[in-house]
Amino acid sequence: MYSDLLQALPAVVGFSNFAAVVIGVLAGIVVGAMPGLSATMAISVLVPFTFGLEPLVALGLMAGIYNGAMYGGAIPAVLLRIPGTPAAVATTFDGYPMAQKGEGGFALQVAVVSSAIGGIASAFALMLLAPPLSKVTLLFGPSEVFWVAVFGLASIIFLLGGNPVKGLISACFGVFVSVIGSDPIYGNDRFTFGQLEMLDGISIVILLVGLYALPPVIDLLETPLKTDGIESSQLGTEPIWKAIPRMKGFWKTWLRSSVFGIWIGILPGAGGSMAAFMSYNEARRNSKHPERWGEGEPEGVAASETANNADTASALIPALTLGIPGTAVAAVMLGGLLVHGLQPGPMLFRENPGIVFGFMWQFLFGAILLILLGGSLATNSFARLLILPRPLLGSVIIVLMLIGVYSIHGRMFDVYLMLGFGAIGWVMDKLKFPLPPVVLGLILGGFAEENLRLALRIGRGDWGVLFQNTTSLVLVALTVAVVVGPIVKRRLTDRRKQSGM
Amino acid sequence: MLHFIRTITIAGSVALAAGAAFAQDHPDKPIEVIVGYSAGGGTDVMARTTAPFIEKYLGDGASIVVKNMPGASGQIGVTEVATADPDGYTLGTFNLPGMMARTIDREADYDQDSFTYLANVVNDPNVIVTTKGGGLDSIDKLIEEAKANPGAVTVGMSSLGGDDHFMLIKLQQLTGAEFTIVPFKGSAPARTALMGGHVAMGILNISEVAEFQEELNVLGVATEERSDFAPDLPTFKEQGVDLINGSMRGFVAPAGLPEDVRAKLLDAFEQLEGDAEFQEAMKATANPVEVVTGDAFKALTGDLYDLARGVWEETPWN
């Protein structure tokens, strides 16, 4: 089972495949460091351009970008208190106060080392868990996959944080988009308005480019944010080998946050920002000096940055084995796999072991490369990038989006569709509707419908088919736990408050 | 950032150029072949494998460019071909019975008279497979079970209105047995479901199961003679069940081609059959060859249209 992993190694260290990871990491750091540009966006803009590339070059770029962007977000978070990506919000809590104290350089070094550790842990999780899981997923028939999808939809509840109603509306919008096209069993048209181009449903890549790339670009163009940045002399950087000994007390946080990030990556629904918040809170609860948090506690940066890199590779565990992505970024990557004719599922590991396992190595290398490429010197230059003229950047991205989306099927229809979703995304953004539930609703909604109907056909109309085996029952129990758990918890805390009065 | 942009732009232009990977060193314009499916799919591989041989037989430094117009299970591409200029510079791939079935189960802007029929090139015959350990390891046992418990045998296949579906209809008509159809999105998920034992039986194509003979029982092949592709697999005919069905892929042009252009193109396609190198290339890409040209190809299309029509009248699938 794991021998394929070693056999895939030589291909990955080949020049072009390795260069792809290096370029990906660098590009990712840049993308992450630009407030408004996110990993999801960068990869969805990139996917259409990877048609003509070797699969491992394309996937290497993606793995590199994902890892790089998750660290890159920390740069403006520390220097300007502007999170470069949503996943870096928790990094601002202590990163920025550190920078004000002249510890900005150390904060970024903590961020880069933590990011690398989180990414490495995540890559190992993918390598260890995906192969055995892919053997098991053969046992997942339509009824089991239906429950996995329902469980994923239920996990969206986690994402609803601030405003559950808006989150649910977002998710429902995604589920609605999933029913557009010919229905999965009979092929009847639904909401296609007689357009042949709509028969296959809405391509996830088109939706993502529109939803995730257009609104931030419009923002880039309308708010020419002045970022004078912090002078590199103020960073107070010391060589990384001197900085690392100062982090020796962090190992508990690294371990805990890695586990958190990996777990949240695997769960369909939640992504980097969720992982970072939860792990920050946990690390703070377990800290000897919780009062120092928010005042410039390096461990806070470590907790946030470890977790947001630890959900990268692990998000591909359900994606590669079942076709259900753990995060929005993984969803785009699935699109990238499909572009190269790689069907996720148990067969993928058998038919394309070189590519799947190569991809896993690329995640590992991407994480390790962070230390080399995200070091102090590089970080100083990245910090300068924040001064790039935004209109130029915005225009370049728009052009790339248009060319990329056009090239997917070679038709303008898709471009208009993407612009339409972009407009919707921009409005949602302005009205503070969360975007990840839309993506998950689209993917999981489609999965749930198709597999429910297949299961009912297999059971010849008997709903009992959905509860026939242990796997299904376990998934039902998990789903119930996800929905009921938070409610019970709230009841208990309320009761405790009352008795304490 | 600029470096990044440059990389992406180069990657983009490489991708755009990859579609036009043929030398264009002759005065005439290149011939475009429209493929109604994504790059890398079965039809696309068939078209790209065949293209250089057609170039060779057309001579004069002819060049063929494959253009993918995927969508609506091939309908977008084939509609494009039907409505193109009949000047011999636009050809397209043509799938049977799918392209005819689309004129029955959907609104289509073309019919069987919209094309000049050049050649069918591939016939990927249907096979019936069952899960290992399910006990249904022969066609007789399978039919017996389906007759004893009507509808109890679940059949995984790709979508309704395709060759798999018509194969099952033929089987039901021949034997009077009844099955429950479970249509997946494509053959790969259907095959995976079979391997996991979620459906009892599957109807696929020979190219899709050749590598899976250890995990699945292949009960027979729906051809007249044993297929060169897997000569060890028996036909249904040998087993006393007269089942012939498959997925055909070939080339058409818009109706109304000038006679001399038509003759020239037909001549090129007719030479494929005798080309050993072509046969080898097709075998290597899992494409069982069956060349049927011109009027015979047109007649074949008519037959498959009638079959699809007949099935639709009896049991419409949507």
Side-chain angles (χ1 to χ4, degrees), chain A residues 27 30 46 49 52 138-141 185-186 188 196 199-200 346-347 350-351 396 409 411 450 454 457-458 460, chain B residues 1 4-5 8 12 70-72 76 106 150-152 160 180-183 191 195-196 198 211-212 215 317-318:
Chain A
V30 173
L46 173 78
F49 289 101
L138 208 50
L139 304 173
F140 280 57
I185 302 290
Y186 298 109
N188 295 310
L196 275 185
L199 269 178
D200 297 328
M347 287 299 115
R350 177 181 142 156
E351 295 186 341
V396 167
H409 300 121
R411 56 190 192 208
E450 185 186 350
L454 288 172
R457 280 187 85 96
I458 289 172
R460 295 160 72 197
Chain B
M1 187 70 206
F4 169 53
I5 291 164
I8 294 297
I76 292 177
R106 277 190 208 149
L160 298 175
T180 295
I181 301 179
V182 185
R191 185 178 58 201
M195 288 169 69
H198 307 291
E211 312 266 307
F212 289 82
E215 291 93 340
W317 54 86
N318 76 12

Side-chain angles (χ1 to χ4, degrees), chain B:
Chain B
M1 187 70 206
L2 283 173
H3 178 58
F4 169 53
I5 291 164
R6 203 174 317 135
T7 313
I8 294 297
T9 327
I10 291 168
S13 43
V14 168
L16 293 174
F22 303 111
Q24 296 182 10
D25 54 353
H26 80 117
D28 298 341
K29 48 177 184 174
I31 296 172
E32 198 168 63
V33 171
I34 293 173
V35 175
Y37 298 89
S38 312
T43 306
D44 177 70
V45 171
M46 182 278 296
R48 288 178 196 272
T49 312
T50 309
F53 294 95
I54 297 299
E55 287 175 344
K56 180 169 89 183
Y57 292 122
L58 284 173
D60 295 339
S63 85
I64 291 181
V65 179
V66 173
K67 181 181 176 189
N68 299 88
M69 294 186 75
S73 27
Q75 199 181 340
I76 292 177
V78 88
T79 304
E80 185 75 15
V81 179
T83 52
D85 250 352
D87 56 5
Y89 283 106
T90 308
L91 314 180
T93 54
F94 195 72
N95 300 57
L96 288 170
M99 291 306 113
M100 283 298 107
R102 293 298 78 77
T103 64
I104 296 166
D105 64 9
R106 277 190 208 149
E107 285 290 307
D109 295 337
Y110 66 92
D111 59 22
Q112 52 181 317
D113 298 324
S114 307
F115 305 101
T116 300
Y117 291 86
L118 298 170
N120 180 71
V121 175
V122 167
N123 179 1
D124 198 352
N126 287 112
V127 289
I128 292 180
V129 284
T130 54
T131 51
K132 283 270 188 220
L136 302 171
D137 53 7
S138 78
I139 187 76
D140 294 339
K141 284 185 193 168
L142 183 74
I143 293 166
E144 203 177 310
E145 169 69 19
K147 277 186 159 165
N149 301 303
V153 179
T154 48
V155 188
M157 57 171 69
S158 51
S159 54
L160 298 175
D163 55 295
D164 306 357
H165 183 200
F166 296 150
M167 166 88 172
L168 187 77
I169 299 282
K170 283 181 179 174
L171 177 68
Q172 296 193 142
Q173 285 170 346
L174 273 174
T175 61
E178 236 181 276
F179 299 85
T180 295
I181 301 179
V182 185
F184 288 79
K185 273 189 176 166
S187 308
R191 185 178 58 201
T192 307
L194 262 167
M195 288 169 69
H198 307 291
V199 286
M201 154 187 167
I203 293 186
L204 299 161
N205 301 90
I206 199 167
S207 67
E208 293 158 350
V209 298
E211 312 266 307
F212 289 82
Q213 293 186 48
E214 279 173 25
E215 291 93 340
L216 299 166
N217 304 315
V218 185
L219 306 186
V221 185
T223 43
E224 295 277 356
E225 305 281 325
R226 287 197 178 202
S227 163
D228 293 344
F229 200 76
D232 50 335
L233 293 174
T235 63
F236 290 114
K237 246 186 149 151
E238 309 171 21
Q239 304 176 72
V241 186
D242 192 8
L243 264 181
I244 310 289
N245 203 55
S247 160
M248 314 261 190
R249 308 195 259 274
F251 295 87
V252 292
L257 279 192
E259 195 44 48
D260 56 332
V261 177
R262 176 174 172 269
K264 193 174 178 200
L265 284 166
L266 264 180
D267 180 58
F269 279 100
E270 275 161 357
Q271 295 183 61
L272 286 174
E273 181 110 55
D275 187 325
E277 203 188 333
F278 168 74
Q279 296 275 6
E280 201 49 49
M282 293 302 270
K283 201 169 173 142
T285 51
N287 275 301
V289 176
E290 185 176 311
V291 180
V292 182
T293 54
D295 292 339
F297 182 22
K298 187 174 183 169
L300 175 75
T301 305
D303 292 348
L304 284 164
Y305 174 82
D306 296 341
L307 166 74
R309 185 99 213 125
V311 171
W312 179 258
E313 313 261 299
E314 296 251 325
T315 48
W317 54 86
N318 76 12

Side-chain angles (χ1 to χ4, degrees), chain A residues 187-394:
Chain A
N188 295 310
D189 299 9
R190 303 188 300 195
F191 304 105
T192 59
F193 306 102
Q195 295 284 344
L196 275 185
E197 290 88 350
M198 303 271 275
L199 269 178
D200 297 328
I202 303 294
S203 148
I204 181 81
V205 177
I206 293 169
L207 176 102
L208 281 163
V209 173
L211 224 49
Y212 272 90
L214 204 58
V217 170
I218 295 174
D219 285 344
L220 276 182
L221 296 175
E222 65 180 358
T223 49
L225 179 87
K226 271 189 69 74
T227 48
D228 299 331
I230 283 192
E231 284 298 311
S232 40
S233 54
Q234 294 172 351
L235 281 175
T237 324
E238 55 188 341
I240 197 130
W241 62 88
K242 279 194 183 156
I244 288 180
R246 290 176 60 192
M247 305 179 202
K248 64 177 186 295
F250 292 0
W251 63 271
K252 267 191 184 150
T253 296
W254 280 335
L255 191 70
R256 194 185 310 107
S257 301
S258 292
V259 172
F260 252 98
I262 289 168
W263 176 238
I264 286 171
I266 294 174
L267 283 187
S273 51
M274 182 80 206
F277 271 114
M278 283 176 77
S279 105
Y280 181 89
N281 284 335
E282 277 305 300
R284 181 174 169 176
R285 271 196 337 148
N286 286 296
S287 164
K288 288 196 185 84
H289 316 281
E291 71 284 353
R292 288 190 204 162
W293 289 59
E295 312 284 318
E297 168 65 50
E299 217 164 329
V301 175
S304 164
E305 282 302 312
T306 309
N308 69 23
N309 274 78
D311 81 335
T312 52
S314 69
L316 285 151
I317 296 172
L320 294 175
T321 53
L322 283 168
I324 294 181
T327 59
V329 188
V332 197
M333 287 192 173
L334 270 190
L337 283 166
L338 293 171
V339 159
H340 287 278
L342 302 166
Q343 272 284 352
M347 287 299 115
L348 182 63
F349 288 76
R350 177 181 142 156
E351 295 186 341
N352 297 293
I355 292 172
V356 179
F357 291 102
F359 190 29
M360 295 181 187
W361 284 111
Q362 290 177 319
F363 263 100
L364 183 63
F365 294 155
I368 295 170
L369 281 167
L370 274 181
I371 301 235
L372 303 173
L373 301 173
S376 54
L377 177 73
T379 299
N380 284 341
S381 17
F382 287 130
R384 287 222 182 82
L385 275 171
L386 298 173
I387 321 171
L388 266 184
R390 305 187 140 235
L392 170 78
L393 190 71

